[in-house]
């Protein structure tokens, strides 16, 4: 059945505890769950997380406690607080490296693509990010080739520019996991 093609797939969705972009979290989550995936939400602490438009989500696990072996995909959502909370989060970078190294899907949208660049996963690759000069510079500094495209897929690495791409981002993740 088409609606269950992701049955048994475990996906870790990471959001900042404040100021995450709701559509970048809720749209892919809804799509992935509708296809049978099990979503676990992680943040810097187990707590109620608040979006930029006051959407609320309870995180179930800390980024530090998340294990690559427990998931088939890592999805890092964006928001205005991502540079402060995620860009230099070594645990999140290590998790992304471990999952990518194991051939698992690693996806990032909006300002969170910088996390993958800082984790050295985008060196020599085309990469997109939300159009913020500092974010573009971070990609270039990490050896990525910035391209102004809405969605970029490199085998198991999926990058999306920002909120308008939330649904396509979720569809690309689902296709990579199917």
């Amino acid at each position: 059945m088409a609606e269950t093609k992701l049955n048994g797939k475990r996906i870790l969705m990471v959001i900042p505890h404040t100021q995450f972009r709701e559509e970048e979290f809720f749209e892919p989550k809804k799509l992935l769950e509708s296809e049978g995936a099990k979503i676990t939400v992680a943040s810097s602490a187990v707590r109620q997380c608040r979006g930029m438009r006051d959407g609320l989500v309870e995180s179930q696990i800390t980024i530090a406690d998340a294990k690559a072996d427990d998931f088939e995909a890592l999805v890092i959502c964006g928001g205005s607080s991502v540079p402060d909370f995620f860009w230099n989060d070594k645990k999140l970078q290590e998790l992304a490296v471990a999952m990518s190294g194991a051939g698992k899907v690693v996806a990032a949208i909006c300002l969170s693509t910088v996390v993958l660049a800082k984790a050295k996963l985008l060196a020599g690759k085309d990469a997109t990010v939300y159009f913020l000069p500092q974010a573009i510079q971070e990609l270039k500094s990490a050896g990525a080739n910035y391209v102004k495209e809405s969605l970029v897929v490199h085998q198991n690495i999926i990058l999306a520019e920002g909120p308008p791409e939330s649904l396509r981002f979720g569809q690309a993740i689902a296709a990579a996991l199917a």
Side-chain angles (χ1 to χ4, degrees):
M1 282 200 223
E3 69 273 16
T4 58
K5 67 182 177 185
L6 298 183
N7 259 1
K9 301 286 185 182
R10 298 160 303 165
I11 300 171
L12 182 67
M13 292 188 77
V14 178
I15 57 173
H17 70 274
T18 186
Q19 301 296 304
F20 69 88
R21 277 306 292 239
E22 281 91 342
E23 57 272 68
E24 295 173 1
F25 172 76
F26 290 113
E27 287 183 33
K29 180 179 184 285
K30 181 180 175 186
L31 174 84
L32 296 165
E33 285 178 334
S34 75
E35 295 192 7
K38 181 181 183 323
I39 305 294
T40 299
V41 180
S43 193
S44 50
V46 174
R47 60 176 293 170
Q48 188 174 65
C49 302
R50 183 177 297 276
M52 293 174 68
R53 298 186 178 136
D54 292 326
L56 298 174
V57 178
E58 292 288 333
S59 62
Q60 299 146 302
I61 187 173
T62 65
I63 293 164
D65 288 337
K67 307 269 185 282
D69 291 345
D70 294 340
F71 302 96
E72 281 76 46
L74 169 65
V75 178
I76 309 171
C77 301
S80 61
S81 63
V82 165
D84 293 333
F85 296 120
F86 287 171
W87 281 8
N88 295 306
D89 186 322
K90 296 296 181 206
K91 291 289 184 190
L92 185 54
Q93 291 174 22
E94 290 167 10
L95 183 62
V97 167
M99 291 190 71
S100 179
K104 297 180 179 190
V105 173
V106 177
I109 187 169
C110 198
L111 294 171
S112 66
T113 65
V114 171
V115 173
L116 304 187
K118 287 178 167 266
K120 306 289 184 240
L121 294 176
L122 303 180
K125 292 181 167 78
D126 286 352
T128 192
V129 68
Y130 186 75
F131 189 82
L132 183 71
Q134 181 187 1
I136 293 167
Q137 189 53 52
E138 290 285 353
L139 288 185
K140 291 177 178 176
S141 295
N145 175 37
Y146 170 71
V147 293
K148 189 163 178 43
E149 292 183 26
S150 56
L151 188 69
V152 177
V153 178
H154 296 284
Q155 295 166 328
N156 65 326
I157 296 177
I158 300 165
L159 310 170
E161 185 180 42
E165 301 311 316
S166 298
L167 183 59
R168 283 184 61 217
F169 178 63
Q171 290 166 338
I173 295 164
L177 285 169

